Amino acid sequence: MFNTIKQHWFSNTKGDLLSALVVALALIPEAIAFSIIAGVDPKVGLYASFAICVIIAFTGARPGMISAATGAMALLMITLVKEHGLEYLLAATLLTGIIQIIFGLLKLGDLMRFVSRSVVTGFVNALAILIFMAQLPELSGTYGSMTVYGMTALGLAIIYLFPYLTKAIPSPLVCIVVLTALTLYFDMDIRTVADMGELPDSLPVFLWPEVPLTIETLQIIFPYALALAVVGILESLMTATIVDDLTDTSSDKNRECVGQGVANIGSGLIGGMAGCAMIGQSVINVKSGGRTRLSALVAGVLLLIFVVFLDNWVGMIPMAALVAVMIMVSIGTFSWSSVRDLRTNPKSSSIVMIATVAVVVATHNLAYGVLVGVLLSALFFANKVGQLLYISSSLSANGQKRDYQVVGQVFFSSAEQFIAGFDFKEAIENVTIDLSRAHFWDITAISSLDKVVLKFRREGTEVTLLGLNEASATLVDKFAVHQRPDAVDKLMGH
């Protein structure tokens, strides 16, 4: 147990502490921005980020991953807050956590194995684009100026060049410190964290949502809670998969579902909104050296300390510094090789990736993009496997018997191809169908076998089936009708 605790908490203390400092600073403006999107006070997002980040450090399954209030979740809360207010949002947050715990106990996290690499790549690219797009308001319109552009460019230069001097200190942290110092020294008139919104001046307290515990309340919050739970789990499991790849480690996706649920319940009980894993902050954490649960715990604690006790200092950080950090995240997150490989990858994989990116960017809803990607992957896979069906035949010396050999998978996609492989008009007495190298997967396949057998019998040909494997034979015994006396009449519609 001691070795496990050391490995998960204290095996990378210096890297975790430094990365947590960067993550905490980067979380503040995002939490405020997401609160504004949802239509609630900034402290709702800040308290949520603190609670979720700290709780997930203990309950989550993916060390090094950062969870907090997110834009994807905030977008789903707008209507609920507008029509029913904050208290109903807090109630929906609690229900979101309960649903996510149920998802984990039902082991729905295992469904991640059905998400193809193309979908994950599309998801990553879409989030990278959305992260970059979220920085554009700070670089244009009212806030955009030559000073902001220059500071952002300087921040990016520090982020990418400082590691050549030393990697002992995360370059994003150096970027934030240097740009803040320059802003104060030259008294620059540029937007700072304090301009984003008022930071809370007190620690969070226990809050039970003041809503009636009735069926009517459940009817109001359940659709929102279910949507929040699904999007939160999707983004969290996708992010966990990405961090798995970045760190060459694995994680328990079902435990992550439960952990996210517990974290959201904790958030709702102190007046916070629902959240989930953040790919941007997780990438910042990993690239800054964070690897264990300690990084998430310290990031959450530092976030609360900064906004409550050091709000005057934190408020001086120029948004240009944080924009530079997030641009670095978007550049580092985007899979540039996926663009280079568009010519060489299978067309189906490229279409799935591009479709996932397009839907997520167009709708800002990760669930829609992943759903479209998974459906397209399934269709392309079914079509490809359905084409791997081969039927050959040989005629006996006397011309009265034909032997068919079936090789491949028979299911809904290949059923018509299976039927088309037989000649029902040939005048022969006996047909033998060798199925020893074939597999029947569903009732559509069994129905196609019925049609083949019955069409031959309708022409007066005797049919013998050989070599059915155990699984296929079980389906045939349960669902096939060609052995019934009235089968031919039913096929003919009599």
Side-chain angles (χ1 to χ4, degrees):
M1 180 180 294
F2 177 78
N3 289 334
T4 301
I5 293 175
K6 182 179 179 181
Q7 178 185 353
H8 285 187
W9 287 92
F10 304 109
S11 60
N12 183 47
T13 305
K14 180 182 177 181
D16 289 326
L17 293 177
L18 290 173
S19 64
L21 181 58
V22 180
V23 169
L25 292 172
L27 274 174
I28 295 171
E30 291 203 346
I32 296 173
F34 299 150
S35 299
I36 295 171
I37 290 173
V40 296
D41 191 275
K43 68 181 180 182
V44 176
L46 290 167
Y47 286 162
S49 294
F50 154 70
I52 296 171
C53 210
V54 168
I55 294 173
I56 205 66
F58 295 94
T59 63
R62 176 60 269 174
M65 189 168 76
I66 302 297
S67 296
T70 64
M73 302 284 269
L75 289 170
L76 299 175
M77 304 171 187
I78 297 173
T79 305
L80 177 62
V81 173
K82 186 177 181 180
E83 295 181 356
H84 300 282
L86 174 62
E87 297 297 329
Y88 279 84
L89 173 61
L90 300 182
T93 298
L94 296 179
L95 184 55
T96 297
I98 294 171
I99 294 173
Q100 289 178 329
I101 291 174
I102 294 173
F103 284 171
L105 295 177
L106 293 176
K107 298 189 181 301
L108 296 187
D110 292 339
L111 295 178
M112 275 300 295
R113 68 179 186 272
F114 294 108
V115 180
S116 70
R117 174 57 55 181
S118 299
V119 176
V120 174
T121 302
F123 169 86
V124 170
N125 289 347
L127 276 181
I129 293 171
L130 291 179
I131 290 171
F132 181 79
M133 290 173 60
Q135 311 313 311
L136 294 181
E138 296 294 334
L139 298 173
S140 60
T142 307
Y143 311 121
S145 66
M146 292 305 297
T147 303
V148 172
Y149 300 149
M151 291 287 280
T152 303
L154 175 60
L156 287 170
I158 293 172
I159 288 172
Y160 285 107
L161 297 178
F162 188 79
Y164 288 103
L165 298 177
T166 177
K167 294 183 179 180
I169 304 175
S171 60
L173 178 58
V174 177
C175 164
I176 293 172
V177 172
V178 171
L179 265 61
T180 302
L182 289 174
T183 301
L184 294 174
Y185 183 79
F186 292 104
D187 193 22
M188 296 182 185
D189 183 21
I190 60 175
R191 187 165 151 91
T192 64
V193 170
D195 298 324
M196 291 286 292
E198 185 179 354
L199 299 177
D201 56 2
S202 63
L203 295 173
V205 295
F206 177 84
L207 288 174
W208 183 259
E210 295 181 3
V211 297
L213 300 178
T214 62
I215 296 297
E216 182 181 357
T217 298
L218 183 62
Q219 289 174 339
I220 292 172
I221 66 174
F222 182 77
Y224 294 98
L226 181 61
L228 288 168
V230 171
V231 170
I233 289 300
L234 274 174
E235 184 165 1
S236 297
L237 297 187
M238 288 286 198
T239 304
T241 300
I242 294 162
V243 178
D244 288 350
D245 291 342
L246 288 174
T247 59
D248 292 323
T249 55
S250 60
S251 57
D252 184 341
K253 303 301 186 290
N254 293 311
R255 179 182 170 184
E256 189 60 45
C257 292
V258 174
Q260 293 287 336
V262 174
N264 277 321
I265 291 175
S267 173
L269 290 176
I270 64 168
M273 56 201 275
C276 61
M278 305 180 74
I279 185 171
Q281 302 296 342
S282 298
V283 170
I284 289 176
N285 189 44
V286 172
K287 289 186 177 296
S288 298
R291 289 294 183 274
T292 73
R293 297 178 183 277
L294 185 64
S295 59
L297 173 62
V298 175
V301 173
L302 287 177
L303 169 65
L304 188 65
I305 293 173
F306 287 158
V307 299
V308 175
F309 300 107
L310 302 176
D311 53 328
N312 290 332
W313 288 94
V314 171
M316 298 177 185
I317 297 175
M319 287 302 299
L322 299 175
V323 167
V325 173
M326 297 313 296
I327 290 177
M328 177 272 291
V329 170
S330 66
I331 294 173
T333 301
F334 194 90
S335 177
W336 299 99
S337 61
S338 65
V339 177
R340 184 181 64 248
D341 296 339
L342 282 175
R343 293 182 179 180
T344 56
N345 283 343
K347 288 185 178 179
S348 58
S349 297
S350 298
I351 292 173
V352 168
M353 190 271 286
I354 293 172
T356 303
V357 171
V359 173
V360 172
V361 172
T363 65
H364 287 221
N365 191 316
L366 304 173
Y368 291 159
V370 173
L371 179 61
V372 168
V374 169
L375 288 177
L376 284 176
S377 296
L379 289 174
F380 285 130
F381 176 77
N383 180 64
K384 185 174 182 178
V385 174
Q387 294 175 358
L388 302 177
L389 181 68
Y390 175 70
I391 301 176
S392 61
S393 66
S394 58
L395 187 64
S396 63
N398 60 11
Q400 297 301 310
K401 180 182 178 183
R402 182 172 290 277
D403 295 321
Y404 286 92
Q405 294 82 37
V406 182
V407 179
Q409 313 300 313
V410 187
F411 61 112
F412 64 87
S413 178
S414 59
E416 292 298 324
Q417 183 182 348
F418 173 73
I419 296 173
F422 299 93
D423 183 2
F424 303 108
K425 298 300 182 181
E426 186 178 21
I428 51 177
E429 296 179 0
N430 297 288
V431 164
T432 299
I433 304 177
D434 183 0
L435 302 170
S436 58
R437 291 189 290 171
H439 189 96
F440 290 79
W441 287 96
D442 55 17
I443 58 174
T444 305
I446 302 303
S447 176
S448 67
L449 180 63
D450 281 337
K451 288 182 180 180
V452 168
V453 173
L454 295 176
K455 283 185 177 184
F456 273 125
R457 288 179 180 171
R458 184 185 62 187
E459 301 297 328
T461 303
E462 182 179 343
V463 181
T464 303
L465 302 179
L466 301 174
L468 273 173
N469 60 43
E470 184 177 352
S472 300
T474 300
L475 283 177
V476 169
D477 292 340
K478 188 173 183 179
F479 298 108
V481 299
H482 59 258
Q483 300 294 352
R484 299 177 185 176
D486 60 344
V488 175
D489 291 337
K490 285 187 175 180
L491 179 68
M492 298 299 294
H494 294 161

